[in-house]
Each structure stands twice: as structure tokens, then as C-alpha cells.
Amino acid sequence: MRVFRKAWGAWTRPTPRGRARRAAVVLGCVPGLLAVLALVVCVAGVDRKVVVPERPAAAPQSAVTHRAVRPVIVPRSRWLDARSTRTQPPARYDDHVVAVFVHHTDSPNAYECADVPRIIRSLYDGQTGVRRWDDIGYNFLVDRCGTIYEGRAGGVDRAVTGAHTQGFNHGTAGIAAIGTFGAGTPVPRAMTEAIAALAAWKLGLSDVDPRATVRLVSSNDLSRYSAGTGAVLPTLAGHDAGFMTNCPGAALTSQLPHIRARAAHLQGR
């Protein structure tokens, strides 16, 4: 188990000279114009306050790293046109991604994959327009055909601070499955394969095992854990692991063990 400290944006590794990290967070959680009413339910699960963290010590390099091939990721420019773009502050960064949180967007499942750019644009508009957040909260989104899209700006290969899991946004990445995956809802295989490939690559950049656990420290009392409380969570977790919510839905949650195993395999573990 890897150990990190995290506070609404702060986490540290236990090195001889461990350093603390305060953090920043603007928030995003779920639907945009497609499900404006659902936004109210998810809003509670994201951070909107910003705290600038102190830079933590760099992680020691492992003698053997387990990296996966980077999957094809559709850039923001494919779904966010100039007419829809809103002015926003520069991206914020952490040193490493040590965990991934899986979400669902709580939006309709019966969509054509060719229409996904418009769907993501609607989510973005709902979060930056209706909710007045600075950007879409998720770092990545995956559709039912297995296509991966860049979400939050800042660079897919960098540890961009997202706005997806209240209290646990720093040092983590948020992957949103486009759709609603409550109990009994089929989860497309192409979607789970894409999530596994994306998690394998993203966690592999820090040599993190998708089947492992990590100790994070909450920095927000509205999280599932009160501020300052340490929590041992899966390195590939559902949104509900860090916040009181049913996201990513019972059906997708049941697929997480398979996704973890598949991601580990893709890392060569």
C-alpha cells in the first residue's frame, strides 16, 4: 500500500523530509444542460474553494516501472469550439497522479457516439455556465463506444488538478463514463476496456498498481471523511469511495474489480 497525505488539495508521501501540500479546487461533478436538475444532487460532491498547496517532495524512482501504452485520447478541440469556450484561469497541477476516481455523468444512455462532442459540450456548459465553475470537472470522459476524450484543460499527460471528488481532487484523476449506470444497466464492454486502458496508462506514469490501495487525507468536512481524516482507498476507486453518492452507479461499480485487474494486466503486472 502506498501512503500519501491529502487535504482538500494536499497530499504528501512519507519521505525523510515529507512536505505538506495545501490545495486548490474548483469543482465539477456531473450533468450539464442534459440534466440540469441532477446537477444539484452532485454539486455537493465537488470542491469549489481554491487553496494553493506547497509542492510536495518528488516521489522516488522505482527500479522497475510498470507503464502501459497511452491510449488514443480525443483532444478538447474536438468538442469545445471557439463559440462555446469560456474564459478560465490557468490549469493547476500536482506532482503525481496516485489514484483514479471513476464517475458516471448521470445523463441519458441512448446516444449516438457521433453526438458525444455535443454531449460533452453540454456538460461543460452546465458546469461553467449554470454552475459558474472554471472548467469541466472531469479530467477525462469515456463514451459507450470506448472513445476517450480529454476533459479538463492542462495536458492529458500531466497531473492536472481536477474537480471531481470533494476532498480528494489533488493527486488524483477523474474519469467519467458518459451515461447513467444504476443497478441492472448494461455497461458496454468497450467502455470498461477504455477506462482500464486509460487508468493503466495514467497510473503507470507514477508506477501505481491499479489493484493497490493508497492513503489519502480528506480536507473537506463535506467529504465522506471529515477534514484531516485519513482514508485507505483503492487506487482505482468509484466516486462513492470518497463522497456520499451513488456515483458511478451500482452497475459500473460492480465492474471495478474487472477494470482494476485489466488495468494491471495492461501495465504488465
Side-chain angles (χ1 to χ4, degrees):
M1 177 184 80
R2 298 191 173 206
V3 181
F4 297 80
R5 176 177 175 77
K6 178 169 179 193
W8 185 228
W11 54 270
T12 60
R13 294 175 183 256
T15 62
R17 295 184 300 173
R19 290 182 287 179
R21 172 159 226 169
R22 294 164 35 197
V25 190
V26 267
L27 260 291
C29 172
V30 218
L33 298 181
L34 294 178
V36 173
L37 292 179
L39 268 170
V40 177
V41 177
C42 184
V43 165
V46 282
D47 299 326
R48 292 190 285 178
K49 295 181 180 179
V50 173
V51 181
V52 180
E54 178 185 338
R55 178 171 292 277
Q61 292 297 311
S62 174
V64 178
T65 59
H66 297 82
R67 297 201 174 192
V69 174
R70 171 178 161 168
V72 175
I73 301 172
V74 178
R76 281 168 63 94
S77 59
R78 290 280 296 275
W79 60 264
L80 188 60
D81 54 34
R83 183 178 59 183
S84 303
T85 302
R86 298 176 187 275
T87 301
Q88 62 186 63
R92 298 178 179 84
Y93 299 94
D94 294 299
D95 285 347
H96 309 280
V97 169
V98 299
V100 165
F101 283 97
V102 177
H103 306 255
H104 68 174
T105 58
D106 201 19
S107 53
N109 291 345
Y111 56 84
E112 296 294 330
C113 290
D115 198 34
V116 167
R118 183 193 62 77
I119 293 173
I120 300 177
R121 195 159 53 248
S122 293
L123 293 170
Y124 169 86
D125 190 59
Q127 293 176 359
T128 62
V130 177
R131 302 306 310 176
R132 297 185 181 280
W133 297 333
D134 68 343
D135 195 359
I136 191 168
Y138 313 116
N139 298 99
F140 303 94
L141 299 97
V142 179
D143 71 17
R144 65 187 186 86
C145 293
T147 303
I148 301 170
Y149 289 84
E150 175 185 13
R152 199 168 184 82
V156 296
D157 58 343
R158 300 188 64 183
V160 178
T161 304
H164 50 82
T165 304
Q166 182 150 291
F168 298 106
N169 285 309
H170 287 263
T172 68
I175 301 175
I178 299 175
T180 302
F181 298 99
T185 304
V187 182
R189 180 181 177 85
M191 176 176 277
T192 58
E193 286 293 304
I195 293 173
L198 179 57
W201 169 69
K202 197 65 180 175
L203 292 174
L205 296 177
S206 300
D207 198 22
V208 173
D209 188 335
R211 304 164 301 181
T213 56
V214 60
R215 185 175 184 274
L216 304 175
V217 178
S218 172
S219 62
N220 192 295
D221 286 332
L222 296 180
S223 170
R224 183 176 288 279
Y225 301 89
S226 59
T229 301
V232 177
L233 304 175
T235 55
L236 199 166
H239 183 190
D240 56 350
F243 183 72
M244 292 74 72
T245 177
N246 61 8
C247 178
L252 186 50
T253 297
S254 71
Q255 292 294 313
L256 293 182
H258 166 73
I259 293 173
R260 293 184 188 110
R262 180 62 177 151
H265 175 75
L266 292 172
Q267 288 185 344
R269 297 182 188 271

